[in-house]
Amino acid sequence: MTEAADLVIVNGRVFDGRVRTASTAVAVAGDRIVRVGSDARVLELRGAETRVIDAAGGVIHPGFVDAHAHAAFAGVERLSIDLTPAASVEETLELIRAGAERSDAEWLTGGGWSHELFPMPTRHELDAIVSDRPVALSDAGHHTLWVNSRALELAGVDRDTPQPHNGHIHLDEHGDPVGYLNETAAELVGRVIPPATDDEVHAGLLNAQEYLWSLGVTGWHEAILGEYNGKADCTPAYLASIGSGELRSATSGALWIAPGLQLEEVPALVARFVEQRARNALAGFSTSTAKAMIDGVPHGETAALLEPYCNHGDGFAGELHFDEAVIRAFVAQLDATGFALHLHVMGDRGIRVALDAIEAARAARVSAASASAPLGPAPRHHIAHLSMVQPEDAARFGPLGVTANIQGLWAAPDPYVVPMIGDERMRAGYPFRAIADGGADLAMGSDWPVSPADPWLAIHVVVNRWAPPPPGVVPDAPGATPATALGSSQAAALGSTRATLDAEHQSLTLEQAFAAYTSGSSELVLGRPGRVRVGERADLAVATGDPFELPAEAIVSLQTAVTVVGGEVVFER
């Protein structure tokens, strides 16, 4: 006799992680899926204690898996001065003022301010709110720091401070720092900010988990494990939360390779990572990935390009964060020890250098195997962001076995970056279709808190290639210019026009995008199928509608109605 299910979800339509199926219901017992089929077939497992959830026509799908998130510090930021809700200069300043009033911390920190609202924020604006305590606020992209005079003073940053490599201290007409620091310049202040305590990071991680559940996200990949830009290593928070059972979502993480690594330092780094991987695995935390930023971002003119930036008459084209020889060395040595590389790359030169390094590592692996020294299965390397990729390089992902780790929200037009790279390069950016057509696997992630964590917003942009309109606004004809859906704090990430980025050729289908954010990400970063099928772990979500029954422009209207983690309902709208 078949045992009764603990949970059944009926009256929906099942997307199994790859395709939309004819099934309308799912049954769960314990933490496993035990039946998928029609309502009648699944309801055969209904018992006296079975909970029944009506999906009301919504799609039932594997929980989203975010393949690139900074969840721990997104949570810390949510619990500090969170500027992402602000839609105006006044709202931003009021949030800072309110945060200062409620906190007696030595340093006031947080982030999420918009470059569109504050193209060049200064210390004077912050000094008018707080002058006796240091203030340091990251932008929405987390590559720029806005600080007050007290923070500059404590960091020893003044008119005589040399400009750092791969960074910029912006100066006023008198030659004094304005309080606006890009890339490595931000680290000059970041290194003197007291890092969040383990307890604060732990609280932030659990806050993030609960928020992600509200978006249908049941697992994620923490993209940086290690000290970064004044932030403490969040590994202890993960280990403690896993050990206590508080972290119920499936997670993995990437060990951080800091910019500036030297060639002679690579073997010691690899040895340290091997030791950390083994130690974390014993605690139930998979850290078999290594993360490096090959270059910076176009907004800060720190992405490494093949052709110069448009607003530089001196031929400046950005720089790599490592020497090319160092990149080839750490990619090859980490590949040989079974580490997957998770590479941040924004510029087309950075893409080419990264692919060349992976190609060399693959060739070395083949040579080793032919010499009767097998290295085991090749790790699944992935490249995140993909803002500028030449066509010949887009075709290399598939043959090299490199997964495209897509941040879909970024694939909307961004007028802020046009002066740096030009309209032609912007419109040719994020060539997801070309990469997919070349046979590459796809995964999706948000880079939260750099951009919003809601998968439906990202799927909308990947399918439509324009930024979603504000909630409640009916999408109009292509070519219109509505405000962004998420407020000005995310405008730099999303852009503010309805114009498309070569959408006819570079959009993904709904099925491709949905699969990338579920099974694609799950397979890549969690090593599990991420499918709605019998025997799989019951990490599920139910949407408020069925995207396959909606016009493409209405995908953005979807929300998560129910989230299930390990067979237990953890969120209901």
Side-chain angles (χ1 to χ4, degrees):
M1 179 178 178
T2 304
E3 293 185 7
D6 298 311
L7 170 70
V8 297
I9 306 172
V10 298
N11 190 26
R13 191 64 178 268
V14 174
F15 176 78
D16 74 353
R18 297 284 178 81
V19 297
R20 183 176 184 251
T21 72
S23 297
T24 60
V26 177
V28 175
D31 66 351
R32 297 288 149 179
I33 296 169
V34 294
R35 186 168 293 179
V36 181
S38 66
D39 286 5
R41 177 79 173 128
V42 167
L43 284 170
E44 291 175 355
L45 299 182
R46 181 178 186 176
E49 302 298 324
T50 301
R51 180 173 181 188
V52 179
I53 292 178
D54 184 350
V59 68
I60 306 167
H61 62 91
F64 292 114
V65 174
D66 194 318
H68 185 119
H70 305 278
F73 285 100
V76 170
E77 196 166 277
R78 279 168 54 85
L79 295 173
S80 59
I81 301 178
D82 181 10
L83 302 178
T84 56
S88 68
V89 169
E90 293 74 20
E91 288 181 14
T92 304
L93 298 177
E94 181 53 38
L95 285 171
I96 297 170
R97 186 174 293 108
E101 289 175 353
R102 70 171 178 266
S103 174
D104 59 0
E106 175 190 358
W107 279 75
L108 294 173
T109 59
W113 55 268
S114 163
H115 282 275
E116 191 164 278
L117 295 178
F118 295 91
M120 182 70 72
T122 73
R123 57 190 167 87
H124 305 297
E125 293 154 305
L126 294 179
D127 290 346
I129 299 172
V130 182
S131 60
D132 60 337
R133 287 185 289 169
V135 182
L137 304 168
S138 296
D139 67 323
H142 289 71
H143 286 263
T144 301
L145 202 61
W146 176 20
V147 301
N148 69 350
S149 297
R150 181 61 176 151
L152 289 171
E153 178 186 350
L154 291 175
V157 176
D158 57 26
R159 60 168 51 221
D160 298 320
T161 302
Q163 293 289 349
H165 181 63
N166 284 329
H168 189 67
I169 304 167
H170 290 262
L171 307 175
D172 63 20
E173 65 274 17
H174 305 296
D176 295 311
V178 300
Y180 180 81
L181 310 167
N182 291 118
E183 297 290 354
T184 54
E187 297 174 14
L188 299 176
V189 173
R191 67 191 180 192
V192 301
I193 299 173
T197 66
D198 286 349
D199 286 345
E200 290 169 335
V201 179
H202 180 257
L205 178 57
L206 298 183
N207 178 282
Q209 175 178 241
E210 188 170 355
Y211 176 69
L212 290 170
W213 285 344
S214 75
L215 304 176
V217 177
T218 60
W220 66 85
H221 180 69
E222 183 70 43
I224 292 179
L225 296 172
E227 294 182 1
Y228 168 69
N229 197 19
K231 295 179 172 63
D233 182 6
C234 60
T235 303
Y238 273 91
L239 298 180
S241 300
I242 291 169
S244 68
E246 295 169 290
L247 187 62
R248 295 156 63 190
S249 294
T251 58
S252 65
L255 304 177
W256 173 236
I257 305 171
L261 181 73
Q262 300 301 303
L263 189 61
E264 63 274 12
E265 298 170 334
V266 173
L269 175 133
V270 173
R272 175 164 55 85
F273 279 12
V274 168
E275 181 183 341
Q276 287 177 285
R277 176 177 60 184
R279 186 168 60 250
N280 293 337
L282 289 174
F285 188 31
S286 174
T287 56
S288 58
T289 302
K291 165 74 178 293
M293 289 185 181
I294 299 300
D295 64 356
V297 294
H299 297 80
E301 300 177 0
T302 52
L305 310 184
L306 291 169
E307 299 293 334
Y309 283 93
C310 296
N311 53 341
H312 277 269
D314 58 0
F316 178 73
E319 297 177 312
L320 299 169
H321 283 182
F322 306 87
D323 289 341
E324 287 191 45
V326 175
I327 295 171
R328 290 193 297 271
F330 72 65
V331 169
Q333 293 181 41
L334 287 165
D335 177 281
T337 51
F339 277 94
L341 273 299
H342 180 161
L343 302 177
H344 159 119
V345 191
M346 294 291 280
D348 49 6
R349 181 189 171 208
I351 288 284
R352 185 160 296 172
V353 168
L355 291 173
D356 287 348
I358 292 171
E359 185 172 28
R362 297 297 196 212
R365 178 175 286 275
V366 171
S367 297
S370 63
S372 301
L375 297 175
R380 295 185 60 179
H381 304 310
H382 40 123
I383 295 178
H385 310 327
L386 313 164
S387 73
M388 284 180 275
V389 186
Q390 293 295 321
E392 59 268 36
D393 290 321
R396 298 172 68 191
F397 279 69
L400 288 175
V402 177
T403 298
N405 190 327
I406 294 168
Q407 284 61 62
L409 277 171
W410 302 6
D414 185 352
Y416 185 84
V417 80
V418 173
M420 288 85 165
I421 66 171
D423 188 71
E424 182 178 349
R425 280 189 286 192
M426 184 197 73
R427 291 184 179 279
Y430 302 97
F432 303 147
R433 174 67 63 82
I435 292 171
D437 287 350
D441 291 330
L442 307 178
M444 286 182 73
S446 64
D447 207 355
W448 183 53
V450 173
S451 50
D454 188 345
W456 288 117
L457 296 177
I459 290 172
H460 163 91
V461 175
V462 168
V463 172
N464 292 293
R465 296 302 287 244
W466 44 266
V473 174
V474 177
D476 43 23
T481 56
T484 64
L486 302 170
S488 297
S489 63
Q490 304 301 343
L494 297 184
S496 60
T497 72
R498 179 72 181 271
T500 61
L501 288 181
D502 197 13
E504 179 182 355
H505 301 293
Q506 297 306 334
S507 294
L508 295 179
T509 67
L510 171 59
E511 192 170 79
Q512 285 177 310
F514 208 172
Y517 225 133
T518 53
S519 61
S521 290
S522 185
E523 290 170 358
L524 177 68
V525 301
L526 300 181
R528 58 176 64 170
R531 304 287 298 278
V532 180
R533 60 188 184 189
V534 173
E536 300 293 348
R537 177 177 153 104
D539 288 347
L540 304 165
V542 181
T544 53
D546 184 348
F548 295 96
E549 295 291 337
L550 298 174
E553 61 268 23
I555 293 171
V556 68
S557 68
L558 293 174
Q559 295 178 295
T560 293
V562 177
T563 304
V564 178
V565 171
E568 182 177 346
V569 176
V570 295
F571 171 78
E572 292 181 86
R573 186 165 299 282

